[in-house]
Amino acid sequence: MKVTLDKIASQPSDYKICKECGYINFYENEVCVMCQGDEFDESEESVIRWVDNEYQYRIETEGYTEREADNVVVEV
């Protein structure tokens, strides 16, 4: 499933972070879409931290505007 970064930011409880690779996943996933790991951090704090880091990378490193970063599509 693909979603935009702003959708993840607005609904952090719908996502979780893989403990093996640190990638974001939809809450229904049984294995990580990136590494097929099966252990997750389901706290909203970890999802918010992931989103903040992704925004920071897109804006500071890639030169995106905040609006452009909002529309980045992420496979979850």
Side-chain angles (χ1 to χ4, degrees):
M1 179 169 76
K2 294 180 181 182
V3 296
T4 57
L5 199 52
D6 66 335
K7 179 155 176 101
I8 296 170
S10 70
Q11 297 175 318
S13 63
D14 285 352
Y15 304 92
K16 57 189 177 182
I17 305 298
C18 177
K19 288 185 176 181
E20 291 183 43
C21 71
Y23 194 73
I24 195 156
N25 286 261
F26 190 59
Y27 77 96
E28 291 181 345
N29 293 3
E30 293 182 17
V31 297
C32 177
V33 296
M34 190 62 71
C35 75
Q36 280 62 56
D38 62 359
E39 293 187 29
F40 298 94
D41 180 346
E42 298 184 28
S43 69
E44 284 189 35
E45 293 82 18
S46 66
V47 173
I48 291 168
R49 187 171 35 256
W50 186 93
V51 169
D52 287 346
N53 288 339
E54 189 67 17
Y55 269 103
Q56 182 179 2
Y57 171 77
R58 298 293 178 165
I59 293 169
E60 293 178 9
T61 304
E62 297 293 323
Y64 287 30
T65 65
E66 187 172 345
R67 188 174 196 165
E68 289 170 330
D70 284 341
N71 293 313
V72 168
V73 176
V74 179
E75 179 73 34
V76 296

